[in-house]
Amino acid sequence: MAWKTLDEMDLNGKRVLTRVDINVPMKDGVVTDATRIERIKPTIDSIFAAGGTPVLLAHYDRPKGKVVPEMSLRHIVSKLEEVLGRSVTFVETLDAADVAAAAEGSIVLIENTRFHPGEEKNDPALAAEFAALGDIFCNDAFSAAHRAHASTEGLAHLLPACAGRNMEAELKALEAALGQPQRPVVAVVGGAKVSTKLDLLSNLIEKVDYLVIGGGMANTFLAAQGINVGKSLCEHDLTGTAKEIMDKASGAGCEIVLPEDVVVSWEFAANAKNETVANDACPADAMILDAGPAAVAKIVSVFEQSKTLIWNGPLGAFEIEPFNAATNAAAKAAADLTKDGKLVSIAGGGDTVSALNQAGAADDFTYISTAGGAFLEWMEGKTLPGVAALG
């Protein structure tokens, strides 16, 4: 789809209403991870370089349309100033005069959009109030693009609209992954439950050449083949669905890759006693907590045959050693292939970012999305309202 970038807009002397995601983790009033703030810096710098003034719209947490003081964006002003290298004028109201009064060269930050009951209802009146604060709308919050809210979807119809640098990078990466990818394409889908990723699996088998299934999800697929998975996390009521997915994949020319060996243990604890066994040899009183070395070797060989990788979810219980071994080894292999220019690698959603960071592989992936739900819905083939409104 066609959407404009900042480079196609005349920003000189304009107030640029910029929807950002600065919903950062905090503890005791201190920002503990500023990644999302760092991601908006290229957009802010571009707006200033073009002679514009960024007026930031953002949500924080879930105040559900009420003013909740501990969820005020006031708490992150100092971190914004530190990371962005500019002064920030914090504005609590939707009064255009307060925005206009901000010092020249400073960033304007409007209070939490979700303090307004009309935000999550995509209320046209609230969107119009937002629109009155600026001349141009720039959406840089891909992570909120799957929600049709007043500050994402509604506002885009009221002002000349474009994508910010972060949104632009996300959309280009996603287009490279599933829009017009270099083939063969491999997708890694891990995590606990098949039930949360049915739409994702159904969409991917039509679009990829290999589908690697890991984590607790793999147990459900193994059980669907009549394999006893002992006390492993497994959705036995979905084995029929897993069979259907395997049949559809076969018809679509998509090879599903399941672990041929597994690491089992008798307790879910760090450094618990464990054994590596064939996938059909899990003891009745044990549980599968990771993929084994033969499974990893197979996955790596698939990576080596592929040109594009999409990764969502870990291959095992990566939070505790030694059950992070498969995720770490596969992630490292993908990172090395990417570094060597042999693989385009896109990852995102849920635990994926922390798993790849833990593996020391994230920096070498082509693109890591911090978007969570929006990344997943895009992978599921769904239309994202915040993106569609920019077209």
Side-chain angles (χ1 to χ4, degrees), residues 161-185:
C162 67
R165 299 299 186 208
N166 190 33
M167 173 80 87
E168 183 184 348
E170 289 268 4
L171 294 175
K172 284 181 176 173
L174 298 179
E175 178 66 15
L178 277 186
Q180 294 177 308
Q182 298 178 55
R183 292 196 169 275
V185 182

Side-chain angles (χ1 to χ4, degrees), residues 216-242:
M217 292 174 59
N219 301 334
T220 303
F221 280 81
L222 293 174
Q225 295 178 330
I227 292 172
N228 187 337
V229 295
K231 292 187 173 176
S232 307
L233 176 64
C234 177
E235 291 176 289
H236 290 283
D237 58 325
L238 283 178
T239 54
T241 304

Side-chain angles (χ1 to χ4, degrees), residues 66 72 115 138 272 276 304:
K66 295 186 173 66
S72 171
F115 280 2
C138 168
T276 300
E304 289 170 346

